[in-house]
Amino acid sequence: MQPQILDFSEENGLVLCNRPDSIKNGYERLYISEVSKLNAYAVFFRRHFKNQEDSKAYKSEPSVCIFKVEDVPLNSQKHKDIHAALWSEGKIDIYIIIHSNTRLDIYNVRQPAAVKKGENGLSVDSLKFTSQALEELEKKQSAAHLFGTGTFWEETEKLNSINIDRSPYQHLIDYLMEVRVGFYENSKNQLQLDTIDKMLVLSILVKFLEEKKDSGTDRSTLDDIYVKLQVENLIDAVEKGRFLAVLSALSTEFNGKVFDQFSPEEEKQVQETDLTLLAQFLRADIDIATKQLFLWEQYSFQHLPAEVISSIYEDFIQKEANLDGKGPEKGVVYTPIHLVNFMVDEVMPLDNPPLSFIENGLYKILDPTCGSGIFLVAAYKRLLQWWAIAESERTGEIRYPDVLTAQKILEDNIFGVDVKKTAVLVTIFGLTTALLDVLTPKEVWENLKFQDLSKKNIIKWKDKTGFFGWALDAKRNNDRFSLVLGNPPFNEEKGTTKKEVLKKEVLDSLELRHAIPSGNFALHFFETSMLLADRICMIIPSNVLLYTKSDPAKNYREQLFTNYYVSDIYDFTHLRETLFVKKRSKKKLGRTPVVALFAENKPSEFKAINHIVVKRTISVDQKIRFEIDDYDRHLVKWDWAVDPDKQFVWKTNLLGGGRLFHFIYRLSLMSTLKDYIEKRQEKNPNWKYSSGYKVGGSNTKKYPAPYLTGKQTLDTKTRFSQNNGFYFVKEVNEGFEAPRPKELYEPPLLVLAEILGKESIPMQLFEHPQPFNISFIGIHAPSKLDLSTIENYLKDNYQILKGYMLATSAKLLINKETTFVKEDLDLLPYTEKRDSLLLSNSMKFLLDDLLKYGIHLGKQITKKSAGAILHYPVTVPQLNEYGEVLCAELNDIYAKNGNSWQSGKIYRMPSYTVYQIGFGVDGKLKQEFISNELDDTIKNLINNNANRGAAYKRIVRLYDHVDGFDCVYFIKPNALRYWLKSIALRDADETFVDLNNNDY
């Protein structure tokens, strides 16, 4: 008999630790081997599928860990150890403890154990879900669906149970930041921040070693060193003034300069400094920020990912960059761990190692701007996992390489470049931690001798050209890399000019294949990497890669998609307010919208490009994982990707895809407002059409314009009023970089603000001279009637024109929410045949959803925020509208001879809805709402199609024949975004394809 816990079963993702026969892939095999060390009983995995029709998961993610033991009393040390381990690793959502087969408790592992009030210790009491929550899961049998689809945290009552500030990474970083500042202030500048940073990071590395123990013993890696120095542990060493002695002993023992980081002057400063604060930090018996108890017991360093070292240092570097008073590094955006791991999973899938690595251990990886080394650490871990998986296929057991093999894999395959010494240092720290993580203390002590990775693996380049100078040497040496992976800077660093980095003679010698639009900084890294690599996975600003409409940008895209094989583009534009942004940052930094570009260095195969648009969810905002469902995946035909007249395909995908592209394409074939005005100018050159004057900066050449200076110009700071029009302010400048012709400001004059209002673009017709600056656009015509015609057209057709601008603009909903540029106005469809703008019902649905919901896709989704509207539970009237649109679209094709598609049973479950439609005799399939209960027919249908977890995709279509009706069941989460009328159109199209493929 197969075991079942809640409604988890082997059919839907449950794997018993002592029965590995139900394991489906390497991800599950690796995690089961790790969690078995905690004596776990089982793990429920969430299985991911690339496509709706896939039956085999391409990767799995642990979501629920289950313990079945009798000797784990609530809050016992064993219980707290389990919690510390699972919280520190940051992989699962909850864990379950089954007590003596009679009681089942569920705990939130997205938060650490807390200090219990009035007691000097930790407690997990507050992290236990209530008995009511457990009863709901048992009664409604929804656990497998909630965790299988990743919607558990999206339920309203769970929203406050998950918080990035309580993640193991952020928790540790916050504490380290307080210690760092305390050190700096208390030492009265005796210790420089760079020295303090090395002390803290080295302390964590030593603590990591200290906690590594041989299996079945309490013997630590560092016991022999501590005995020689007559100290008990690192804390004791610090308190007795032997901190540097510990580092010296480690440096002597292991070589490689990993622990030999202080200059003689720094050693003298450290020796003379009171290190009480460091001891407090290591003892962690007081939280510097809150003055409350804070214990390292919250953590299990054996389970803390090696990438955390890199994350810590990222924050340090940015903090240091702010100390000069000039703000943070504008060119540096550090990459969150969940994005790094996501990219590594996609470009280095666990179950598909390259033959070169399996046969000879070679798969050379380069990060051209390694920064903290977070990409290289994750990539190195994946190489070790590939080795372990291959070994398990040979022996049946997960075993990591021995010390010599692990070092060889590192030295042969991992390479990075940076211009900062600290970046090289922390990258080596991170890689060292990843190496130590797979070795036993005995192996470390007896066999490990570090090589100096700074000699040939992790290089600090000698001048400001950085990677480009290094790449020129590499090109001359014919160096090749299997993969280039990273997140290059989007701008030059502070104190460095673009010309110093992108040195002309270096770029000329490199001979890049393509002209780079606007000299884009990140694309220079991409193109240079392509000179050395077989494959690239790189973060690139999305606006320049996909959305900019300039001719150089269009030409670059055509060359990119022709000369390279671009397989996937993961588009994170909707996450511009959350992906890189530090939550409590006073200035929201890192707002640049980005994509992850996957490309191979070979000519295009002219295949469609996967454009995956990642949307905001609770898990995304809290930096846990990216949720991608079937509606987020769009196939862009190769000829569309290179067609200059179809470049808006990327933008329509960003806003929903499907028929939206065809709607916009139809409008794009019409004449434009710019065409109309240019034709008028040909007949009468007195027509003027331009943005307003530009004052310019202090270094630009200025021209006098007495028709502007001292005049009442339009005020950009006061909002347009429907009753009063624009407001005015006196222009005080006497010189202008671009004053524009005086005739532009003469009446009759129509002036438009570069902003999308709710009901109209703010505009006003003037019959007197009126100056306006570059935030406005003006049209001067000989006749007031001509301008009134344009004004009325823009107002009367505003909703269509607004939708068109949103779906084609390179700025709207990418860099700005409502601000557009003159180019967007230029390209608006403009026709004197008003019936050309009449819309079909389906087009109206697309437009309505775009204007009501699509504009909020990038906005905050927490309660009462604008983006929350898409995540509210769907209502009965909204479900009815969905069904009406879905059936109407299918009936346009199939209805005949008294038969049609009709809405049937609608099952409203706590976390998802099942919507039935059926084709048969008109009016015979009755709509019925059923709450919280599935009937046997749909239960059997779901179970029979579970397909080892496939039923728990977020979006599922199942087909069946019931009571004379050919039925389709749509199974989707309850959030409104899955049940919009525009989604009904997409469901209808995809259902038609399914039916057509089956000759229906």
Side-chain angles (χ1 to χ4, degrees):
M1 181 178 176
Q2 293 182 345
Q4 185 161 327
I5 299 154
L6 295 177
D7 61 330
F8 302 142
S9 67
E10 290 186 17
E11 283 76 21
N12 62 33
L14 186 70
V15 175
L16 301 185
C17 293
N18 64 352
R19 281 184 36 199
D21 52 297
S22 56
I23 287 173
K24 302 304 178 189
N25 53 41
Y27 293 92
E28 296 180 10
R29 190 175 298 124
L30 280 177
Y31 191 73
I32 289 294
S33 74
E34 291 300 317
V35 81
S36 293
K37 297 172 186 176
L38 296 175
N39 295 316
Y41 170 68
V43 176
F44 177 78
F45 286 95
R46 182 182 178 191
R47 290 167 175 160
H48 294 266
F49 302 82
K50 287 280 188 185
N51 302 297
Q52 162 73 25
E53 62 274 11
D54 289 351
S55 61
K56 183 178 179 181
Y58 76 98
K59 77 172 181 180
S60 297
E61 200 174 16
S63 186
V64 180
C65 196
I66 300 161
F67 297 85
K68 191 175 183 180
V69 288
E70 299 181 7
D71 59 342
V72 186
L74 177 66
N75 260 342
S76 64
Q77 188 57 51
K78 188 172 183 179
H79 186 181
K80 288 185 281 191
D81 287 344
I82 289 172
H83 191 93
L86 296 179
W87 175 70
S88 296
E89 72 177 14
K91 292 180 179 178
I92 69 167
D93 294 309
I94 67 165
Y95 62 94
I96 295 172
I97 296 181
I98 303 173
H99 300 273
S100 304
N101 291 318
T102 59
R103 192 177 89 249
L104 185 150
D105 293 331
I106 302 179
Y107 295 88
N108 178 4
V109 78
R110 291 296 177 187
Q111 294 193 29
V115 176
K116 196 168 185 177
K117 288 185 179 179
E119 297 183 20
N120 186 12
L122 294 174
S123 169
V124 294
D125 286 353
S126 62
L127 303 178
K128 181 180 174 181
F129 284 100
T130 63
S131 57
Q132 182 181 1
L134 175 59
E135 287 169 9
E136 288 290 304
L137 288 175
E138 289 180 320
K139 177 183 175 183
K140 298 173 182 177
Q141 294 196 324
S142 59
H145 191 276
L146 286 169
F147 291 103
T149 59
T151 53
F152 178 76
W153 300 115
E154 295 175 20
E155 292 192 317
T156 305
E157 64 271 18
K158 309 285 192 339
L159 294 180
N160 295 324
S161 300
I162 181 171
N163 189 332
I164 182 62
D165 294 338
R166 307 303 288 167
S167 73
Y169 324 126
Q170 193 62 48
H171 203 53
L172 181 57
I173 287 166
D174 287 347
Y175 186 60
L176 284 169
M177 282 298 182
E178 294 292 341
V179 174
R180 185 178 195 257
V181 171
F183 256 125
Y184 189 67
E185 292 175 350
N186 292 348
S187 69
K188 298 182 175 59
N189 298 328
Q190 182 178 346
L191 292 180
Q192 295 302 306
L193 281 171
D194 186 52
T195 307
I196 295 170
D197 292 348
K198 284 187 279 192
M199 283 176 55
L200 294 176
V201 176
L202 282 167
S203 296
I204 292 174
L205 193 55
V206 174
K207 188 155 183 67
F208 178 86
L209 282 169
E210 188 177 281
E211 288 204 7
K212 281 188 72 69
K213 298 185 179 1
D214 279 319
S215 178
T217 74
D218 287 329
R219 179 178 171 76
S220 164
T221 308
L222 304 183
D223 282 354
D224 289 349
I225 287 178
Y226 289 156
V227 169
K228 288 179 183 177
L229 295 176
Q230 297 182 322
V231 296
E232 293 182 10
N233 50 37
L234 182 59
I235 297 171
D236 193 29
V238 171
E239 290 178 335
K240 291 179 177 177
R242 295 171 192 167
F243 173 62
L244 291 176
V246 170
L247 297 183
S248 177
L250 286 168
S251 180
T252 300
E253 181 62 34
F254 295 126
N255 296 337
K257 296 188 176 180
V258 173
F259 298 97
D260 183 14
Q261 297 296 334
F262 295 119
S263 67
E265 179 62 27
E266 285 178 314
E267 287 186 352
K268 183 171 181 287
Q269 292 171 352
V270 170
Q271 204 66 49
E272 293 174 353
T273 300
D274 181 0
L275 297 184
T276 301
L277 196 59
L278 180 61
Q280 287 181 342
F281 157 63
L282 294 170
R283 193 181 298 281
D285 54 5
I286 188 168
D287 186 328
I288 296 171
T290 63
K291 306 303 180 188
Q292 294 176 346
L293 290 174
F294 178 100
L295 302 176
W296 276 123
E297 291 175 26
Q298 288 178 308
Y299 285 90
S300 170
F301 271 77
Q302 296 180 61
H303 296 88
L304 199 64
E307 298 94 313
V308 172
I309 294 282
S310 300
S311 284
I312 291 167
Y313 221 84
E314 287 177 358
D315 281 69
F316 284 178
I317 294 171
Q318 277 290 55
K319 202 79 172 179
E320 188 171 350
N322 275 299
L323 293 178
D324 60 8
K326 298 178 182 178
E329 290 281 12
K330 68 175 182 177
V332 181
V333 175
Y334 290 108
T335 317
I337 291 175
H338 72 305
L339 175 56
V340 173
N341 289 333
F342 174 81
M343 290 172 64
V344 168
D345 273 344
E346 294 299 315
V347 77
M348 299 174 66
L350 185 60
D351 285 333
N352 191 24
L355 194 61
S356 65
F357 184 78
I358 297 301
E359 290 184 344
N360 53 37
L362 285 179
Y363 190 76
K364 295 174 67 176
I365 300 165
L366 168 69
D367 186 341
T369 53
C370 61
S372 68
I374 193 166
F375 277 103
L376 292 178
V377 170
Y380 176 51
K381 287 174 65 175
R382 179 50 46 92
L383 295 177
L384 296 173
Q385 290 167 345
W386 276 347
W387 193 97
I389 291 291
E391 182 70 7
S392 75
E393 291 175 355
R394 188 177 66 84
T395 66
E397 295 183 7
I398 290 291
R399 182 177 66 83
Y400 283 94
D402 60 35
V403 59
L404 295 179
T405 305
Q407 281 188 288
K408 182 172 173 54
I409 290 172
L410 172 58
E411 292 161 21
D412 288 350
N413 294 292
I414 298 297
F415 300 88
V417 185
D418 212 287
V419 294
K420 290 187 175 181
K421 182 180 178 182
T422 50
V424 169
L425 169 66
V426 73
T427 298
I428 293 173
F429 279 165
L431 291 169
T432 300
T433 307
L435 171 62
L436 293 170
D437 198 28
V438 300
L439 303 177
T440 66
K442 184 177 180 180
E443 284 181 300
V444 170
W445 191 251
E446 293 181 357
N447 301 314
L448 181 61
K449 297 293 180 183
F450 289 120
Q451 300 301 312
D452 186 354
L453 295 178
S454 67
K455 296 295 185 184
K456 75 177 186 73
N457 290 80
I458 313 300
I459 305 299
K460 178 196 176 298
W461 191 244
K462 56 194 174 187
D463 60 38
K464 293 181 179 180
T465 61
F467 170 63
F468 302 103
W470 179 90
L472 185 56
D473 276 4
K475 182 185 176 187
R476 287 168 177 163
N477 293 333
N478 293 316
D479 291 340
R480 295 296 300 174
F481 297 89
S482 304
L483 173 67
V484 172
L485 177 68
N487 181 7
F490 299 164
N491 299 285
E492 68 278 11
E493 295 180 0
K494 284 189 304 185
T496 304
T497 65
K498 197 171 185 178
K499 287 184 178 180
E500 288 176 313
V501 181
L502 303 177
K503 207 169 185 178
K504 186 177 184 305
E505 52 265 39
V506 172
L507 295 182
D508 288 346
S509 298
L510 283 168
E511 298 179 308
L512 302 183
R513 293 181 68 179
H514 304 132
I516 296 173
S518 306
N520 182 265
F521 210 67
L523 285 178
H524 273 92
F525 284 93
F526 173 80
E527 287 291 339
T528 302
S529 297
M530 269 300 189
L531 300 175
L532 309 171
D534 298 328
R535 193 176 188 198
I536 288 183
C537 175
M538 189 175 282
I539 297 291
I540 301 290
S542 62
N543 48 359
V544 67
L545 186 73
L546 299 182
Y547 300 115
T548 301
K549 295 188 287 187
S550 68
D551 287 337
K554 290 179 181 178
N555 292 337
Y556 179 76
R557 280 192 285 272
E558 181 179 359
Q559 293 172 339
L560 171 71
F561 298 136
T562 301
N563 295 327
Y564 304 136
Y565 172 51
V566 176
S567 57
D568 302 274
I569 299 174
Y570 284 86
D571 195 337
F572 301 102
T573 298
H574 287 316
L575 312 188
R576 59 192 176 274
E577 294 289 335
T578 183
L579 186 58
F580 298 115
V581 176
K582 297 294 182 185
K583 198 168 183 183
R584 294 185 303 280
S585 173
K586 292 181 181 178
K587 293 182 179 180
K588 277 203 167 185
L589 308 169
R591 281 176 156 176
T592 304
V594 303
V595 300
L597 176 64
F598 293 70
E600 293 182 43
N601 195 354
K602 64 180 182 180
S604 173
E605 297 177 0
F606 311 114
K607 293 180 180 178
I609 299 167
N610 288 306
H611 181 208
I612 301 96
V613 177
V614 185
K615 299 190 181 81
R616 293 185 71 164
T617 65
I618 292 298
S619 296
V620 169
D621 278 8
Q622 297 301 330
K623 302 186 188 303
I624 292 175
R625 65 175 70 93
F626 299 103
E627 299 292 352
I628 297 171
D629 60 49
D630 203 40
Y631 297 138
D632 300 328
R633 299 182 182 277
H634 309 274
L635 279 177
V636 177
K637 296 178 182 178
W638 181 86
D639 53 338
W640 290 9
V642 299
D643 187 340
D645 296 326
K646 294 187 175 75
Q647 295 298 287
F648 52 80
V649 64
W650 310 104
K651 189 68 181 291
T652 55
N653 285 347
L654 187 72
L655 299 177
R659 296 191 194 183
L660 183 60
F661 168 80
H662 300 284
F663 172 42
I664 298 301
Y665 182 61
R666 195 197 88 185
L667 294 175
S668 75
L669 298 176
M670 298 169 60
S671 295
T672 65
L673 177 62
K674 184 180 180 182
D675 293 335
Y676 175 80
I677 293 174
E678 286 179 346
K679 286 180 181 178
R680 294 298 183 274
Q681 286 175 326
E682 289 174 4
K683 296 178 180 179
N684 187 335
N686 289 328
W687 277 77
K688 304 293 179 187
Y689 175 48
S690 174
S691 298
Y693 63 85
K694 181 179 180 181
V695 175
S698 58
N699 295 325
T700 58
K701 186 176 181 179
K702 302 293 182 65
Y703 303 91
Y707 52 89
L708 300 176
T709 303
K711 301 297 190 292
Q712 290 293 307
T713 189
L714 297 188
D715 187 3
T716 58
K717 296 181 180 179
T718 306
R719 182 173 294 184
F720 178 85
S721 164
Q722 292 295 334
N723 295 324
N724 300 319
F726 292 114
Y727 290 82
F728 308 91
V729 64
K730 186 176 181 180
E731 178 54 72
V732 297
N733 289 285
E734 297 182 353
F736 304 88
E737 179 184 337
R740 317 296 184 199
K742 179 181 178 182
E743 293 78 12
L744 175 65
Y745 308 104
E746 295 296 321
L749 172 65
L750 179 64
V751 180
L752 303 92
E754 292 182 334
I755 190 167
L756 292 180
K758 186 173 183 180
E759 302 298 331
S760 173
I761 296 172
M763 64 182 85
Q764 188 171 347
L765 190 57
F766 292 97
E767 298 186 60
H768 59 75
Q770 181 55 61
F772 54 91
N773 67 21
I774 199 168
S775 297
F776 302 88
I777 300 165
I779 308 174
H780 164 78
S783 165
K784 178 183 175 182
L785 180 61
D786 288 328
L787 296 179
S788 295
T789 301
I790 294 174
E791 180 182 26
N792 291 335
Y793 175 86
L794 295 176
K795 288 180 177 178
D796 293 345
N797 299 288
Y798 180 62
Q799 297 306 311
I800 294 176
L801 300 177
K802 180 180 181 182
Y804 183 83
M805 198 178 283
L806 288 168
T808 58
S809 172
K811 190 172 186 178
L812 289 165
L813 305 182
I814 296 174
N815 300 108
K816 298 290 183 180
E817 294 298 318
T818 56
T819 304
F820 61 86
V821 294
K822 180 177 176 292
E823 180 188 38
D824 298 325
L825 192 68
D826 291 346
L827 298 179
L828 283 181
Y830 189 89
T831 176
E832 295 177 83
K833 297 178 181 179
R834 299 305 166 90
D835 59 350
S836 298
L837 293 177
L838 293 177
L839 303 181
S840 65
N841 283 335
S842 60
M843 296 302 103
K844 288 178 183 176
F845 298 148
L846 290 171
L847 182 62
D848 290 347
D849 281 356
L850 170 60
L851 297 180
K852 187 173 182 179
Y853 303 110
I855 59 173
H856 299 306
L857 284 167
K859 295 178 182 175
Q860 191 171 340
I861 62 175
T862 51
K863 193 175 182 181
K864 297 183 179 179
S865 300
I869 187 173
L870 287 155
H871 300 266
Y872 292 146
V874 62
T875 64
V876 169
Q878 288 166 335
L879 279 173
N880 284 332
E881 289 177 345
Y882 166 87
E884 288 169 6
V885 173
L886 177 62
C887 291
E889 287 298 308
L890 290 172
N891 282 329
D892 281 346
I893 302 169
Y894 291 106
K896 61 181 178 181
N897 302 327
N899 291 286
S900 63
W901 286 98
Q902 304 150 53
S903 293
K905 293 181 179 179
I906 301 165
Y907 303 89
R908 301 301 309 275
M909 304 300 285
S911 62
Y912 64 96
T913 293
V914 181
Y915 199 113
Q916 178 198 35
I917 62 169
F919 183 80
V921 178
D922 292 348
K924 295 298 182 180
L925 185 63
K926 300 298 182 183
Q927 188 180 78
E928 181 182 357
F929 281 85
I930 303 170
S931 181
N932 293 336
E933 188 174 343
L934 299 175
D935 64 26
D936 291 339
T937 301
I938 187 63
K939 275 184 185 177
N940 291 334
L941 184 65
I942 291 176
N943 290 336
N944 290 338
N945 287 273
N947 227 338
R948 298 180 300 279
Y952 297 116
K953 298 172 186 174
R954 282 203 164 200
I955 300 158
V956 179
R957 292 191 306 276
L958 299 178
Y959 296 83
D960 198 14
H961 188 81
V962 182
D963 299 330
F965 279 81
D966 294 319
C967 295
V968 186
Y969 294 86
F970 297 88
I971 307 173
K972 300 190 282 187
N974 286 331
L976 173 60
R977 66 191 177 100
Y978 294 100
W979 302 98
L980 300 175
K981 286 183 279 188
S982 55
I983 293 295
L985 296 175
R986 181 162 176 175
D987 284 343
D989 292 341
E990 293 179 357
T991 300
F992 170 75
V993 171
D994 286 347
L995 295 173
N996 191 56
N997 288 340
N998 287 279
D999 299 321
Y1000 185 85

